[in-house]
Amino acid sequence: MHVLIIIIIAVSLSMDAFSLSLAYGTLNISRSNMRQLAFIVGVYHFMMPLLGMFVGGLISSYFAIAPDLLIFIVLLFIGIEMINESREQSHDVKIMDLKELLLFGLAVSLDSFSVGIGLETISHHYVISALLFSMSSFFFTYLGLFLGKKINNRVGNISTLVGGITLIVIGILYLL
């Protein structure tokens, strides 16, 4: 039964990555970047629960910034960038730099850090749990990016505008 709980948590953690990837996929990013981003999100979703479990208490005592505020700030900047890019009439494939990929991966993986803080109460198989979180988030991130790209190919720049606005709204909802 506890394996089912871990799988449900893995899919739940992946839904953030999926919804944000769906919006981000409307930027028409390259297939290479799609794979890189899905991999980065997967790696973050492996590391963050383990970090949350081992050092979560220490970090929260030193840093007063709430994770929800950090997520809001990151999503706000990504959303604004997407809205600005929607004004461009180019249908070129966008190539993301490593900084953008890492920042996006961090934004969608912060919730797995907080899950890691309570992971000990759910399972004693920490690495297996983190591996399931990682595989699930990789799959759903790639799926979201793929579907977002398909939507962009059909609808065009309006999908990038809607995607940017969606990211900002999701960031605001994190604050509430």
Side-chain angles (χ1 to χ4, degrees):
M1 182 62 156
H2 104 276
V3 172
L4 180 61
I5 292 170
I6 295 298
I7 291 171
I8 290 170
I9 292 171
V11 171
S12 298
L13 288 174
S14 301
M15 289 301 101
D16 258 4
F18 174 75
S19 62
L20 296 176
S21 296
L22 188 63
Y24 216 65
T26 63
L27 285 174
N28 198 27
I29 64 175
S30 70
R31 287 210 186 265
S32 171
N33 279 154
M34 289 170 57
R35 286 188 300 273
Q36 290 171 336
L37 188 54
F39 178 77
I40 287 170
V41 170
V43 169
Y44 271 126
H45 272 85
F46 178 78
M47 292 179 354
M48 295 300 268
L50 297 175
L51 284 174
M53 190 180 75
F54 292 117
V55 296
L58 294 174
I59 290 176
S60 65
S61 67
Y62 289 117
F63 296 107
I65 189 166
D68 293 344
L69 179 61
L70 185 59
I71 292 171
F72 165 73
I73 292 168
V74 169
L75 293 180
L76 178 68
F77 284 117
I78 292 172
I80 289 170
E81 179 184 330
M82 286 179 69
I83 291 171
N84 286 336
E85 289 189 23
S86 74
R87 295 180 186 166
E88 298 172 6
Q89 295 300 319
S90 172
H91 291 289
D92 296 338
V93 173
K94 178 173 173 41
I95 305 296
M96 297 171 63
D97 63 19
L98 183 60
K99 181 184 79 174
E100 289 176 293
L101 295 169
L102 292 173
L103 194 59
F104 182 89
L106 178 65
V108 300
S109 303
L110 285 175
D111 55 348
S112 63
F113 179 83
S114 59
V115 167
I117 293 172
L119 187 59
E120 290 177 289
T121 62
I122 299 167
S123 173
H124 296 293
H125 304 285
Y126 315 123
V127 174
I128 293 171
S129 298
L131 189 59
L132 285 171
F133 297 164
S134 175
M135 292 185 317
S136 178
S137 65
F138 173 89
F139 172 76
F140 281 106
T141 298
Y142 191 83
L143 180 63
L145 291 168
F146 179 79
L147 293 175
K149 187 176 183 93
K150 291 291 183 191
I151 290 169
N152 184 57
N153 290 341
R154 292 223 162 68
V155 181
N157 284 352
I158 191 73
S159 63
T160 305
L161 175 65
V162 171
I165 292 169
T166 302
L167 289 180
I168 292 171
V169 168
I170 291 171
I172 291 170
L173 291 175
Y174 264 99
L175 287 177
L176 301 178

